[in-house]
Amino acid sequence: MISVSQSNCYSKAAFLAILSGVGAAAAQAQEDPAYSVELPELYVTSSHTATVEPASTYGAPVSRLELNPQFDLQVRNIAEAQGDVSIRGGIFENTGFRVGAATLLDPQTGHYFAEIPIAPEMLEGPGLLVAGDNAFAGFNSTVGTVDYSWTEISPGGSAAAGFGDNSLNYQRLHQGTLFSIEDAAVWGAEVELSRSESAGSIENGDHNFVRYSGRVQRVGESTQTDFFAGYQSKYLAWPELYAAPYGSNESDEVRTSLFLFNHSQSYGPESSWEATVYHRRHHDHYLFNRASLADRSFVHQTEVSSAALNGVQALSDVLKLNYMVQLATDEIESTNLENNFTSRDYAKVSILPEFLLSENGERRLSLRAGLSYDDTNRDASEVSPIADLSWTNGDDSYYLSFSQASQVSGYTAVGGATGGLFASNPNLEREVSRNVEVGATVKRSDWSVKAAAFVREDADLVDWTYSFGATSARSAKNVDIDTFGLEVIGSKRIGQLELLASATLLDKDEDYGDPSVDASFYALNYAKLRLTAAAVWSATEQIQIRVDNEYRDQADNVLREGDDAAFFTHLGVYYAVPEMEGLELNAAVENLWEDDFQEIPGTPGRGRQLSVGARYSW
């Protein structure tokens, strides 16, 4: 995308430097039209996907996860409509979304974890927390956490619009401003407005989205403070959206508001802390039959308030203390869940001392060993050990890790009726996950490789299952499951070409303790083999071509119609118009080969989406 180059803004001098830098950038852009094209690089230590904007709507935080080898986004309608994010063969409720120091919760169901009304420009990431990092900093997420941090506001803005087949049209406006200076700090503000609508890539697959988000920020020499408010409203429809295999045309209308305060501060070479407080309200209205309000209408509203503190304190040259605390309270109003389970309080505390065992130049050997404590007012508590040994040598790193994490299930799984369309289970146990893994990252100036092998043992994992003899579309059940995995990601730069490829292998051994289970919608819906390949080609000074590919060989599932293998390609072409500084034209396609693979068993796959657009930046 075409944007003004970013600069740190710590003082009056820095602020003036930013303004002069903008002028210099404009002057250089007139001499070199491609100078202002600042699309992210493709590299295992930065971006893991080539395409940067979806072809089906405006961008959202979840957009950056699709075809990313670190995450598995299982899509209904489009990724920005309803996408379940799983990590390393877990299910959607095992994945947390952390912004700043706090994990954002939706206590009803993990289907809504990714409903984050924040403009992508405001967030750095996504990062990935797994193994000991997730056990330490994750919150009610046993397998992994999608990790975002707040960017610094840059002056300038953009306006974008696009249209495509299936009656798609979208518009977007974004503006960042630095407006006040006080001693060694700069204040700024940032706002964005986005909307999108489409008839959908298949019949009864329409959407209508809108998002408003804004923040005020203060940046000092060693601090950053953000005050954020965001709201989004989304209507989405899809055949068998949630209740496959009953063949109904379903819809969901969701509204999410988020108010958040974040402050980070460093006070030494190896000491810092970050605090986050937020309030999130989420309302959804699901229709089993979109044509009839009387045919199984479900309305829920959840509210979550949470505060978190995360930091590291250097105690000596060889000892640091990592610490994390998050508290949360929630409540739900529902037309369908039981009234005796409408609120819950959560707490997690992690203490993780870090010892420097040896140091010789760039070679460092360190050990982390500690505990985390999870508790709620409705469930048994759990103490979990965390330990890892890491060795770094310059840009290369190696580690061996053992960790445990635990979580409790959402209200739809545990707090509803034991029959009906979605059968809850009030006897669900706290989930406990133990993970052992070894991994390495090797980085050079023009190539890098990252690899990990792991064994994860999940006890009492909550899954949604199907039985041919039952009347419910799906039922919540505990399962004990062992997951074995190997993942490798590599990147290479060759002249004007950037390449990234990955391979992930997974295998599972499960025990439901219930012979009536005929199919699993989530825990056993995983790719035994998943390959991704991405490329960025700077064809000329003005033209850049970006492509992402994914091949997957999915585990067999009796509910899936069609093939268990799929091949997806997303393609984007970006053109910086030399005659008009700041103008970019783009064309994109999702699902180029129109593969109708059912990412959720029984739920129809999406079609192909083409779009063209323009963005003007200032």
Side-chain angles (χ1 to χ4, degrees):
M1 290 175 289
I2 303 171
S3 61
V4 177
S5 57
Q6 296 186 12
S7 302
N8 292 329
C9 40
Y10 295 134
S11 63
K12 293 182 180 179
F15 182 71
L16 295 174
I18 288 173
L19 297 181
S20 62
V22 171
Q28 186 165 354
Q30 291 177 348
E31 298 177 6
D32 179 4
Y35 173 79
S36 58
V37 177
E38 294 184 358
L39 296 167
E41 293 181 334
L42 184 64
Y43 205 54
V44 297
T45 54
S46 54
S47 178
H48 287 74
T49 55
T51 51
V52 279
E53 294 288 352
S56 302
T57 183
Y58 53 82
V62 73
S63 304
R64 299 150 78 178
L65 306 182
E66 191 172 12
L67 305 193
N68 186 321
Q70 300 179 111
F71 311 99
D72 190 359
L73 183 58
Q74 298 166 355
V75 173
R76 299 173 171 93
N77 194 310
I78 58 177
E80 295 74 19
Q82 206 292 300
D84 292 337
V85 181
S86 66
I87 297 171
R88 292 183 167 183
I91 76 165
F92 59 96
E93 285 201 326
N94 300 147
T95 301
F97 287 80
R98 189 173 81 148
V99 178
T103 296
L104 305 181
L105 292 182
D106 188 284
Q108 182 208 339
T109 172
H111 289 312
Y112 299 130
F113 283 176
E115 299 298 335
I116 303 175
I118 306 177
E121 292 92 342
M122 301 180 186
L123 297 176
E124 191 74 41
L128 173 64
L129 303 180
V130 290
D133 292 332
N134 180 67
F136 166 72
F139 185 77
N140 210 50
S141 50
T142 53
V143 177
T145 296
V146 188
D147 189 29
Y148 297 99
S149 58
W150 292 97
T151 59
E152 293 183 15
I153 294 174
S154 294
S158 64
F163 63 93
D165 60 347
N166 308 313
S167 302
L168 169 69
N169 73 90
Y170 64 88
Q171 300 82 36
R172 218 172 161 254
L173 181 65
H174 170 261
Q175 176 66 51
T177 303
L178 303 179
F179 59 85
S180 178
I181 311 163
E182 55 176 40
D183 298 328
V186 172
W187 286 82
E190 185 175 20
V191 296
E192 69 93 28
L193 298 86
S194 303
R195 69 162 301 278
S196 170
E197 62 180 342
S198 168
S201 60
I202 67 172
E203 189 176 357
N204 288 300
D206 47 306
H207 83 251
N208 194 326
F209 301 160
V210 63
R211 181 182 66 210
Y212 313 96
S213 63
R215 62 172 171 160
V216 175
Q217 181 184 83
R218 179 186 184 275
V219 176
E221 292 183 357
S222 58
T223 65
Q224 179 174 317
T225 306
D226 290 272
F227 305 86
F228 171 83
Y231 170 82
Q232 68 183 21
S233 174
K234 294 170 36 176
Y235 176 85
L236 57 122
W238 202 253
E240 300 178 282
L241 179 68
Y242 296 117
Y246 287 175
S248 181
N249 291 320
E250 306 170 32
S251 69
D252 201 5
E253 185 175 4
V254 299
R255 301 192 299 271
T256 310
S257 58
L258 176 66
F259 303 92
L260 185 147
F261 167 81
N262 194 86
H263 179 79
S264 60
Q265 181 163 354
S266 60
Y267 54 95
E270 294 188 292
S271 296
S272 63
W273 61 270
E274 184 172 30
T276 304
V277 178
Y278 74 82
H279 180 78
R280 180 183 186 270
R281 174 182 291 178
H282 181 81
H283 176 96
D284 77 274
H285 185 187
Y286 162 69
L287 293 178
F288 173 72
N289 178 2
R290 63 179 298 190
S292 173
L293 287 171
D295 186 3
R296 282 170 282 193
S297 173
F298 299 75
V299 180
H300 312 92
Q301 180 167 291
T302 60
E303 296 198 41
V304 180
S305 297
S306 184
L309 175 67
N310 187 81
V312 56
Q313 173 68 53
L315 301 177
S316 70
D317 292 340
V318 296
L319 176 61
K320 294 189 293 187
L321 181 64
N322 301 283
Y323 55 91
M324 176 271 188
V325 179
Q326 183 165 348
L327 307 174
T329 183
D330 66 44
E331 61 181 356
I332 187 169
E333 295 180 4
S334 172
T335 59
N336 304 90
L337 301 184
E338 298 295 310
N339 291 327
N340 63 352
F341 199 139
T342 59
S343 65
R344 184 159 50 190
D345 300 327
Y346 310 73
K348 177 173 180 175
V349 179
S350 296
I351 301 295
L352 191 60
E354 183 173 349
F355 306 90
L356 179 61
L357 301 181
S358 67
E359 184 175 23
N360 182 8
E362 292 187 326
R363 298 180 180 180
R364 294 169 58 94
L365 180 65
S366 59
L367 170 69
R368 299 191 305 177
L371 299 169
S372 68
Y373 171 77
D374 291 88
D375 194 19
T376 82
N377 64 330
R378 291 187 175 272
D379 310 271
S381 60
E382 186 74 24
V383 176
S384 301
I386 309 168
D388 53 41
L389 187 68
S390 61
W391 180 62
T392 60
N393 182 13
D395 290 332
D396 302 340
S397 61
Y398 310 86
Y399 69 91
L400 173 64
S401 170
F402 169 78
S403 61
Q404 177 178 296
S406 75
Q407 71 175 91
V408 294
S409 54
Y411 289 144
T412 297
V414 73
T418 56
L421 199 58
F422 308 104
S424 299
N425 183 349
N427 300 315
L428 293 174
E429 301 288 339
R430 173 181 279 275
E431 305 172 44
V432 176
S433 180
R434 301 176 182 89
N435 188 82
V436 178
E437 71 175 83
V438 59
T441 300
V442 177
K443 296 184 289 185
R444 297 295 181 266
S445 61
D446 60 348
W447 64 271
S448 61
V449 174
K450 180 166 60 176
F454 64 90
V455 178
R456 188 176 68 251
E457 179 186 81
D458 291 310
D460 294 317
L461 171 70
V462 175
D463 188 24
W464 289 90
T465 64
Y466 184 78
S467 299
F468 288 115
T471 57
S472 299
R474 54 199 69 191
S475 303
K477 295 185 183 296
N478 284 128
V479 56
D480 294 335
I481 190 165
D482 296 335
T483 303
F484 309 89
L486 173 66
E487 57 185 24
V488 180
I489 307 173
S491 67
K492 175 67 176 176
R493 293 175 181 152
I494 306 173
Q496 300 302 308
L497 186 64
E498 302 173 33
L499 304 170
L500 186 142
S502 77
T504 302
L505 293 96
L506 294 173
D507 190 31
K508 294 193 175 187
D509 183 12
E510 73 280 354
D511 180 9
Y512 287 90
D514 184 351
S516 69
V517 174
D518 293 310
S520 160
F521 287 97
Y522 302 111
L524 301 185
N525 182 36
Y526 68 98
K528 298 180 294 183
L529 171 65
R530 184 182 182 215
L531 305 174
T532 69
V536 175
W537 178 37
S538 299
T540 71
E541 289 184 342
Q542 290 81 36
I543 298 175
Q544 196 171 81
I545 300 171
R546 292 173 168 256
V547 60
D548 286 293
N549 301 278
E550 178 195 63
Y551 169 80
R552 59 169 59 235
D553 181 14
Q554 204 83 351
D556 294 340
N557 192 301
V558 295
L559 293 176
R560 177 173 286 107
E561 300 174 5
D563 293 338
D564 289 323
F567 183 69
F568 295 112
T569 296
H570 291 1
L571 176 67
V573 180
Y574 305 85
Y575 175 61
V577 180
E579 293 81 11
M580 184 176 291
E581 176 196 341
L583 179 62
E584 172 205 274
L585 305 180
N586 56 75
V589 57
E590 289 178 358
N591 194 10
L592 177 62
W593 316 116
E594 211 163 2
D595 196 314
D596 61 357
F597 172 74
Q598 294 187 345
E599 300 182 41
I600 308 295
T603 299
R606 51 188 159 160
R608 179 171 52 210
Q609 177 66 56
L610 301 167
S611 67
V612 294
R615 180 187 304 270
Y616 179 71
S617 301
W618 55 84

